[in-house]
Amino acid sequence: VGVLGSGDFARSLAIRLVCSGFKVVVGSRNPKRKAGLFPSAAEVTFQAEAVKKTDVIFVAVFREHYSTLCDLADVLAGKILVDVSNNTEINHHKESNAEYLASLFPACTVVKGFNVISAWTLQSGARDGNKQVLICSNNQEAKRTVAEIAQVMGFTPVDMGCMSSACEIENIPLRLLPAWKIPIFLALGLFLCFFTYNLIRQVIHPYIREQKNKLYKIPIEVVNTTLPCVAYVMLSLVYLPGVLAACSQLYYGTKYRRFPDWLDQWLQHRKQIGLLSFFCAALHAVYSFCLPMRRSHRYQLIETAVKQALEKKMNVWVEEEVWRMEIYISVGIIALGLLSLLAITSLPSIANSLNWREFSFIQSTLGFIALVISTLHTLTYGWSRAFDENQYKFYLPPTYTLTLLVPCTVILAKVIFSLPCIQQRLLRIRRGWEKGRYVKFVLPSATGEYSSGETSSNV
Ligand code: NAP
């Protein structure tokens, strides 16, 4: 196998190829200077020499320098060129790098591949990091040859079709968290809404009504009352699209009708939404843990103690408050534990070790239990505040009452769906039954002969 270039990628590629048992010839413009960088088993020579000796050549050179290889056109004729290059921007050029290479060397067969693998992954082997090598070419035979090389190197070749896919393959390493964009914007949007709402209630209201400066609450208290709201609502948004999908299936009486695009997208982003919910819940736990460390908290404690002493109050134990806090913290810890379990099992390496039933039990059943326990956590936090008119700052209800809306809707819907009459119908629909679809049936007649007819499968 030949490698043109002696940079980071070429070096890692040569090491991996040598380790996988290939005879490697590296083509460099300055072989003497670069030879020491390669394993001794690899031959480092001039570009033309390397090309002459090999049939499959990896072009580990940037696109901008492809034209400098044109002198090699004659020796390259009839060989397979593997384009491993990446761009610096998505859709940077009109044509993909591989198509450009093919246009410069029409007598060669060009295969796009290995660009999604970093030099580091190549060196450390296919044990860590990405294992998939996306390959495309207009020549099936050449594609198969490169796929075989990838397989021997320990990677998983993925056939991406013909050369027109090269652009898409080249864009993959440049995309920044494509599946996370919508969930992140959703989380940020919710955070901003709840943060503003809490800021009005906790900082702006006391300032306007009582001229009290509560700005110190912004970095920790306001953030810490916002984070659980986001975590809780995001968790309910993981289960809401499932409820909407079930409603649609019940309404239309079929599972074969396509969901609207927005619902499809939402269903596909549930994992990311769930992980962001876990992230916010974990931050909330850390923030809550740090609340007693604040100076403001200590001053308030001393202030209360002094007041009680002056009022000669000895027993300040409020049984109901004690119980409320014990239960509130306990269910909070359980909810966080369940969320951690959901997050861990959504990792591909763990998810792959579970069968479908185990995965669905954890993600669906335990996830729903986590939502119910989070609701208990929220209710024990809010307790009777919803019925206390002092809690309605500027007529705004306590934040926790707002957060309960979506999760309670989801829980209620799930309870309704678990009623035997609805559950049975949903189950039948999900096994292929359709409303109003007529099926042929055959019945024995009174005379013992069989007569055929049609009836609705509803019957
Ligand atoms: P690099 O370290 O800069 O190496 C590029 C090599 O190209 C040089 O060492 C040079 O070798 C050779 N070259 C040939 N003609 C040249 C010319 N006219 N001017 C300058 N250099 C010339 O780059 P790299 O990181 O190895 O990347 C090489 C290719 O692999 C790029 O297309 C890149 O997109 C792709 N890639 C890299 C990675 C990665 O992790 N680094 C991952 C995926 C894809 P000689 O001096 O010996 O001729």
Side-chain angles (χ1 to χ4, degrees):
V1 175
V3 180
L4 281 180
S6 60
D8 295 335
F9 194 82
R11 218 163 32 246
S12 306
L13 182 67
I15 293 171
R16 191 84 237 123
L17 283 166
V18 166
C19 291
S20 308
F22 289 97
K23 193 175 175 317
V24 180
V25 186
V26 179
S28 166
R29 291 168 304 164
N30 195 341
K32 263 193 189 164
R33 199 156 67 98
K34 303 289 175 71
L37 301 171
F38 287 84
S40 53
E43 182 186 344
V44 183
T45 178
F46 287 102
Q47 291 176 332
E49 252 336 273
V51 170
K52 265 186 218 159
K53 289 184 174 173
T54 50
D55 290 326
V56 180
I57 299 139
F58 285 84
V59 185
V61 171
F62 284 104
R63 175 191 172 120
E64 298 83 77
H65 305 135
Y66 283 176
S67 55
T68 64
L69 302 174
C70 283
D71 295 344
L72 304 169
D74 290 340
V75 263
L76 278 172
K79 314 241 162 166
I80 297 173
L81 296 184
V82 186
D83 181 294
V84 300
S85 66
N86 280 319
N87 288 315
T88 45
E89 281 170 41
I90 289 180
N91 296 327
H92 193 178
H93 303 280
K94 253 196 205 153
E95 65 194 338
S96 65
N97 296 350
E99 285 166 313
Y100 173 59
L101 187 67
S103 71
L104 290 178
F105 301 97
C108 300
T109 309
V110 174
V111 177
K112 179 83 209 178
F114 284 87
N115 64 309
V116 293
I117 301 288
S118 69
W120 179 84
T121 308
L122 273 173
Q123 247 188 45
S124 61
R127 280 163 287 121
D128 297 327
N130 184 14
K131 280 185 90 172
Q132 289 188 338
V133 170
L134 312 184
I135 295 171
C136 77
S137 173
N138 287 339
N139 185 306
Q140 288 296 331
E141 196 54 44
K143 199 159 55 175
R144 204 169 306 131
T145 308
V146 176
E148 272 167 22
I149 294 175
Q151 209 150 23
V152 175
M153 289 167 80
F155 293 106
T156 312
V158 179
D159 189 343
M160 294 289 285
C162 58
M163 197 48 107
S164 52
S165 308
C167 205
E168 191 192 330
I169 298 180
E170 284 169 15
N171 283 339
I172 289 173
L174 299 175
R175 291 220 169 93
L176 183 68
L177 307 169
W180 285 85
K181 245 182 218 159
I182 297 174
I184 286 175
F185 279 123
L186 183 70
L188 284 178
L190 281 172
F191 187 88
L192 216 67
C193 292
F194 281 118
F195 184 83
T196 314
Y197 194 83
N198 289 327
L199 190 77
I200 294 172
R201 285 177 48 83
Q202 295 178 21
V203 179
I204 298 178
H205 181 269
Y207 183 75
I208 292 181
R209 286 285 151 92
E210 300 157 45
Q211 273 71 53
K212 279 186 182 163
N213 183 357
K214 301 274 184 185
L215 282 175
Y216 75 91
K217 285 188 171 184
I218 295 176
I220 295 189
E221 259 183 67
V222 179
V223 173
N224 194 36
T225 38
T226 303
L227 284 170
C229 301
V230 181
Y232 182 41
V233 174
M234 292 281 282
L235 182 62
S236 68
L237 292 182
V238 173
Y239 296 98
L240 184 61
V243 167
L244 297 177
C247 287
S248 153
Q249 289 175 338
L250 281 170
Y251 180 76
Y252 292 108
T254 177
K255 70 167 186 174
Y256 298 111
R257 194 188 155 92
R258 251 190 69 100
F259 296 131
D261 280 348
W262 58 267
L263 185 55
D264 237 11
Q265 286 270 328
W266 193 351
L267 285 162
Q268 280 168 31
H269 285 107
R270 284 179 296 178
K271 172 178 157 181
Q272 287 79 8
I273 298 175
L275 283 172
L276 285 174
S277 160
F278 166 67
F279 176 67
C280 292
L283 282 185
H284 167 53
V286 177
Y287 268 97
S288 304
F289 203 68
C290 297
L291 285 178
M293 290 181 193
R294 295 168 311 146
R295 281 258 166 246
S296 56
H297 177 77
R298 290 185 201 173
Y299 291 149
Q300 276 164 358
L301 267 185
I302 296 168
E303 226 175 76
T304 326
V306 171
K307 261 188 203 163
Q308 281 166 1
L310 289 175
E311 288 167 14
K312 294 197 169 55
K313 265 192 196 169
M314 292 301 284
N315 189 5
V316 287
W317 185 278
V318 183
E319 191 73 11
E320 185 188 291
E321 277 297 290
V322 169
W323 273 102
R324 180 175 77 86
M325 281 310 279
E326 303 288 312
I327 297 170
Y328 161 66
I329 294 173
S330 176
V331 287
I333 293 170
I334 296 172
L336 185 64
L338 286 173
L339 280 185
S340 322
L341 194 68
L342 294 180
I344 292 168
T345 49
S346 72
L347 298 174
S349 51
I350 309 280
N352 290 343
S353 68
L354 302 170
N355 67 28
W356 172 243
R357 189 149 181 220
E358 290 161 346
F359 184 78
S360 133
F361 171 74
I362 294 172
Q363 293 296 329
S364 184
T365 315
L366 285 189
F368 180 66
I369 293 173
L371 184 66
V372 173
I373 291 179
S374 305
T375 306
L376 286 179
H377 181 60
T378 311
L379 286 172
T380 43
Y381 167 78
W383 210 239
S384 56
R385 281 183 220 189
F387 309 105
D388 177 1
E389 65 179 276
N390 292 329
Q391 294 294 330
Y392 286 72
K393 313 274 165 76
F394 293 136
Y395 302 105
L396 297 174
T399 322
Y400 85 96
T401 54
L402 299 187
T403 61
L404 283 167
L405 287 176
V406 185
C408 287
T409 313
V410 173
I411 293 172
L412 187 71
K414 287 261 187 192
V415 171
I416 295 173
F417 290 158
S418 66
L419 295 175
C421 54
I422 298 182
Q423 195 184 37
Q424 285 298 317
R425 190 177 164 92
L426 205 53
L427 256 165
R428 278 199 300 160
I429 290 172
R430 286 181 177 168
R431 288 180 72 92
W433 175 87
E434 283 185 279
K435 183 169 80 177
R437 198 192 65 186
Y438 285 85
V439 291
K440 276 233 172 222
F441 71 92
V442 182
L443 278 180
S445 68
T447 57
E449 287 173 348
Y450 285 85
S451 67
S452 69
E454 284 187 336
T455 186
S456 160
S457 58
N458 282 335
V459 181

